Structure formats: structure tokens, C-alpha cells
Amino acid sequence: MDKPICEFLEKYNNKNPIRLHVPGHKGKSFLGYERYDLTEIDGADELYMPTGIIRKSQENASKVFGFPTFYSVEGSSHAIRSMLYLTKIYAKITGKKYKVLSTRNVHKSFLSACALLNAEVEWLYSDNVLSYFSNYLTAKSLEEYLKSSGEMPCALYVTSPDYLGNLLDIEGIAKVAKKYGVLLLVDNAHGAYLNFLGMHPITLGATMCADSAHKTLPVLTGGAYLHLSNEVYNKLSSYVESALSLFGTTSPSYLILSSLDNANDYLENEYKSKLNAFIYKINGLKSVLNSRGYTLVGNEPLKLTINAKNYGFTGQEIANILKENGIYVEFYDIDYVVLMFTIEILDSELEKVKKVLLNIKQRTKLQGTKLAPFKPERALTLQDTLSSLTEIISVENAVGRVYADFNLPCPPAVPIIMPGEVISQNTQQVFKYYNINEIKVIK
Ligand SMILES: Cc1ncc(COP(=O)(O)O)c(C=O)c1O
């Protein structure tokens, strides 16, 4: 598979050009990779109106994935906002109300998109969740919900995989969504690699999907994809580039674009067999850990999520032990530690992770606090909340106040309570549980 963006950069540099264009470093070496750092100069095409090398590269990516694929250099956050704009257009075309049904474990980019675009959001709750950033929506519960629903939403939005590595039954959910004429939008930020296991949300029936290529594939930070099913692409093709342009920079990084471009050939040719071999090894590691007393959660192949309390530790304690041994995890909180693997991890590194984890002596199980499920009352729409004045207060004084923060710490950047909702005593307990002492509320 050719690499049109990489080839352009190489040819350009070989001319030893005097760069009288942006960026300001002019290709001179400060960090060492400035030579490849260009933006949309003559001949380099334009990301949101591509006719040349970017178009060709996106066509390569579409071939690799098997459905229409567009680049983002600003992460899945950008693709998620674009997806919600496209949904708004779809609602206009089909005469439907711009109402989105969503599970509550959403990344903050979904909230800002809905606020900016004034989407009406209806929240789906599920029982027995492992954490506020998980949700176990099933095809059956969706069917029950939609059957008794008065006004149909135009789209359903779900996060799969979630931060703990839980995959939803996208195939079953997609069938139900289709039956009721509801688009299925998937935050697949953690699951770009699932495509190479035949488990990509679009393959399983989703309509639109955002993947952070940079999270699980060998792509530089920021590189992401917006994917559309062929069916919805036929309806919305003339809006896709404007949707991306609406939220994107006019100075896209060619370091990131070339990294996305470079990945296509690797993904097309070597990746699948390497991935299968690697999953075999990870499954081996998971079995050993299970047999030595660890409780692992989630069903995502490349994530290893430890329920730390069941092993007698907090998530932070296990993460610290790993860090003392030079192993840096993706995420931890009081309950869990999340380790994200990809096929680039060496056997020796895998061995070290195993050795360090097995050297941690199991202790008496710590009691997890059972957080009461709560359904907050809404005071303001997301859009009204976004345009309101706010102040920061102590969680101690928060009961009865309206939560107003869109800028949530990442990871996981998932809200405990949505902006515009009223903080109850239950919510206050959850904030305290996660050691959150100050929050932003409506003034
Ligand atoms: C579930 C989920 N969705 C979306 C995003 C946003 O992805 P990006 O950082 O690529 O913008 C993240 C990032 O952490 C995430 O965890």
C-alpha cells in the first residue's frame, strides 16, 4: 500500500527547501523531527477539502477498514463532535427530532458537542455497574426502553469499549436500533484494533464511530478516525468534511497525518497475524493472574483491568508498585488499575509485568463501598449550563447546587453527574468516594 503523505514529505525535504511558510521553525532542527512538521502548503492537500495526497491516504485507510474512513489529528474528541453534527443534519434530512439517547459513561467531548449543537439528551441508566464509567446496556434492555418510549430519539450513543475494558453487544444493540430507525453512534476510542479481529462497531452494524488510532495502533498522539457505515455515508457524504472542519484546526499536523498514512500499510499487511499472536500471549498472562488470586474485569482483548480491592489493595497502591518497577499504567482509581497493551509490547516487557504482579503478595480483600445508584434531577439543559456563570465550591456545600463542569480530568474524563443536574446527597457521597473535594457549579 503506498504512503502518499509520507512520500510527499520525503520529496519535499529532499529539495532542501527554503521554507517561507509556516511553521516558524522552518524545518531547522530543535527537537529533531521538525523536517517532517509541515502543514497545508501548496501540494500538501487540505485536510477538510482533500483532493490529493490526503484523499488518497484516506482512501487507503477506508480500504484497510472496509468502510468510509476520515482522518482527525485532534483525537476521537474531534470525531465525536463531528459525528454529533452529522446526526443533527441527519435529523433535518429525515424530519426527526434531534434527540440522542445515551448511556451515562460518556467522555466529556460528547457533552461539549451536545451543548454546542443543542442536542436534547436522554440518559440511559443501568444497574450493577462496576463504576460510574461503565454501563451494561443490553439489546434486550434497549428494546424494552424503545418499545415503551413515546418520542423516538434519532440516535443512540454508546461507549464501547469503556475505560475498564467492557465491550457491549454492539451487534445485538445495532439490530434493535435499526428496527426502531435509530442511528447507532459508538465511541470506539479504545477499540480501533477491534477491526482486525472482525469486531469493529461498524462491521457489527453501527452507523458512525470514532476511533482513537493513537490509543491502540502505532499512530502518534492525536491521530484518530471518523468512520461511517456505507448506508449513512450515502446520505451524508456531502456533509462529512464540513462536519470535521467545523471543529478542527486549520493547521493540521503533518507529523500526525504522516503517522496515520504510514500505519495503513502495516495494518493492511502485518498487523492481523501479529495481533492474534499477541492476544494469545495476553490471554496467557490473564490466566496466570487469575490462577494466582487476581480478579480481572472486562472482556476487551488488549486491556488488563485489575479489581485491586479484591486483591487487598487500592488501585493506586498497585499502580505505585508497578511504577516503582518502571511500569506505567493507563489509569487507576481507588478500585481498579487499567493496563493497556498493544502488539508493540515486547515479550520481555510482558514477562516483567507478570513477574512484578506475581511478586505482589495478596492481602485480605478490602471492602468496596457500595455506591447507591442515583438519577439526578435536571435543572438546566447542557447548552444553558455551558453559557451560565459558574463558581468553584467545596463538595461539603454542594447538595442542592447545579453541577456545571465540562472540563473533567482525563483519564477518564467521564462525569459522575452531568452538567445541568442537581447534586444530591448520593452524588456528594460519590464525589467524596473519589476524593473530589471541589467542584464547579452554577453561580
Ligand atoms: C472513552 C473515550 N472516548 C473518547 C476519548 C477522546 O479521545 P481522544 O483523546 O483521542 O480525543 C477518550 C480519551 O481518553 C476516551 O477514553
Side-chain angles (χ1 to χ4, degrees):
M1 195 164 255
D2 62 351
K3 300 177 183 179
I5 301 175
C6 298
E7 284 155 22
F8 174 85
L9 290 175
E10 208 54 63
K11 273 193 205 141
Y12 183 72
N13 277 316
N14 287 344
K15 291 178 198 159
N16 268 330
I18 299 172
R19 297 182 178 207
L20 296 186
H21 55 70
V22 295
H25 54 65
K26 306 299 179 195
K28 306 295 186 292
S29 188
F30 290 83
L31 284 166
Y33 41 73
E34 285 81 358
R35 268 162 60 79
Y36 295 99
D37 181 40
L38 273 188
T39 191
E40 291 167 332
I41 62 162
D42 198 20
D45 209 2
E46 195 167 332
L47 182 53
Y48 305 125
M49 254 184 247
T51 53
I53 55 172
I54 296 177
R55 189 189 181 96
K56 180 73 194 41
S57 183
Q58 285 188 154
E59 281 167 9
N60 285 349
S62 302
K63 194 167 157 232
V64 168
F65 278 87
F67 33 80
T69 297
F70 298 84
Y71 292 157
S72 156
V73 293
E74 295 165 82
S76 280
S77 304
H78 178 214
I80 287 168
R81 293 187 189 110
S82 307
M83 206 155 71
L84 281 144
Y85 172 74
L86 287 170
T87 304
K88 186 164 185 147
I89 297 295
Y90 176 87
K92 261 243 146 76
I93 293 173
T94 53
K96 295 190 175 171
K97 188 169 180 196
Y98 184 38
K99 178 169 130 182
V100 182
L101 187 63
S102 174
T103 57
R104 286 182 65 91
N105 57 335
V106 289
H107 182 261
K108 64 180 178 181
S109 51
F110 173 78
L111 298 174
S112 57
C114 291
L116 292 168
L117 294 161
N118 203 18
E120 182 185 326
V121 184
E122 199 166 313
W123 300 108
L124 275 172
Y125 292 81
S126 73
D127 299 330
N128 295 322
V129 290
L130 283 176
S131 155
Y132 70 96
F133 42 90
S134 287
N135 183 289
Y136 298 137
L137 178 70
T138 60
K140 189 163 167 267
S141 60
L142 177 66
E143 172 106 48
E144 278 161 14
Y145 185 89
L146 291 176
K147 212 191 283 176
S148 59
S149 196
E151 188 182 39
M152 273 300 139
C154 68
L156 165 69
Y157 181 89
V158 298
T159 304
S160 174
D162 67 24
Y163 229 105
L164 295 183
N166 297 295
L167 289 163
L168 295 177
D169 167 19
I170 295 294
E171 194 168 12
I173 289 171
K175 277 189 191 136
V176 176
K178 195 163 188 181
K179 180 170 156 191
Y180 288 86
V182 173
L183 300 186
L184 175 59
L185 319 179
V186 182
D187 171 345
N188 184 45
H190 290 245
Y193 74 96
L194 294 172
N195 187 59
F196 307 94
L197 299 170
M199 291 161 66
H200 193 277
I202 298 284
T203 311
L204 300 178
T207 329
M208 287 187 241
C209 191
D211 299 3
S212 297
H214 68 92
K215 286 194 199 296
T216 60
L217 301 177
V219 168
L220 291 181
T221 298
Y225 307 114
L226 168 68
H227 305 289
L228 282 83
S229 69
N230 282 310
E231 198 180 338
V232 87
Y233 182 65
N234 288 339
K235 287 199 177 73
L236 297 176
S237 60
S238 60
Y239 295 94
V240 178
E241 280 146 9
S242 31
L244 285 158
S245 148
L246 188 60
F247 300 104
T249 174
T250 47
S251 304
S253 159
Y254 274 60
L255 284 174
I256 302 174
L257 282 176
S258 59
S259 165
L260 285 161
D261 183 47
N262 189 54
N264 287 332
D265 181 58
Y266 182 65
L267 296 174
E268 176 79 352
N269 293 310
E270 296 166 54
Y271 188 76
K272 199 172 167 183
S273 60
K274 284 189 173 171
L275 179 61
N276 282 311
F278 187 77
I279 287 173
Y280 182 77
K281 291 180 208 164
I282 282 286
N283 285 344
L285 173 62
K286 288 180 180 175
S287 303
V288 174
L289 293 176
N290 267 322
S291 72
R292 298 283 289 272
Y294 278 100
T295 308
L296 306 181
V297 302
N299 53 353
E300 194 206 314
L302 289 184
K303 264 206 192 86
L304 196 156
T305 303
I306 299 170
N307 178 332
K309 282 189 170 169
N310 275 3
Y311 202 69
F313 292 78
T314 64
Q316 181 168 13
E317 284 173 327
I318 295 208
N320 281 343
I321 297 170
L322 289 165
K323 188 154 81 175
E324 281 158 17
N325 286 280
I327 299 164
Y328 293 80
V329 303
E330 166 64 18
F331 172 75
Y332 62 80
D333 67 7
I334 190 164
D335 299 288
Y336 300 102
V337 195
V338 179
L339 285 66
M340 280 176 80
F341 292 89
T342 76
I343 66 169
E344 313 310 326
I345 290 290
L346 305 172
D347 285 356
S348 57
E349 293 172 324
L350 211 51
E351 258 320 294
K352 175 149 185 198
V353 174
K354 179 163 116 185
K355 196 168 150 208
V356 173
L357 284 173
L358 293 183
N359 272 342
I360 304 174
K361 231 170 149 269
Q362 187 172 9
R363 302 197 298 218
T364 314
K365 187 174 166 170
L366 298 181
Q367 282 309 315
T369 311
K370 183 83 182 137
L371 298 169
F374 57 93
K375 291 191 181 179
E377 185 194 323
R378 173 157 291 281
L380 290 174
T381 64
L382 287 168
Q383 188 165 67
D384 286 344
T385 311
L386 188 63
S387 49
S388 296
L389 297 181
T390 59
E391 61 180 340
I392 294 180
I393 60 161
S394 160
V395 163
E396 291 298 341
N397 307 322
V399 175
R401 301 293 299 266
V402 177
Y403 187 67
D405 214 345
F406 284 85
N407 186 17
L408 306 156
C410 192
V414 174
I416 286 171
I417 178 173
M418 303 301 162
E421 290 177 345
V422 182
I423 297 161
S424 65
Q425 260 170 6
N426 274 346
T427 325
Q428 187 190 44
Q429 284 311 107
V430 183
F431 281 129
K432 286 185 179 174
Y433 182 72
Y434 287 106
N435 268 328
I436 298 169
N437 301 317
E438 290 192 322
I439 50 168
K440 195 180 267 185
V441 294
I442 298 285
K443 214 168 187 167

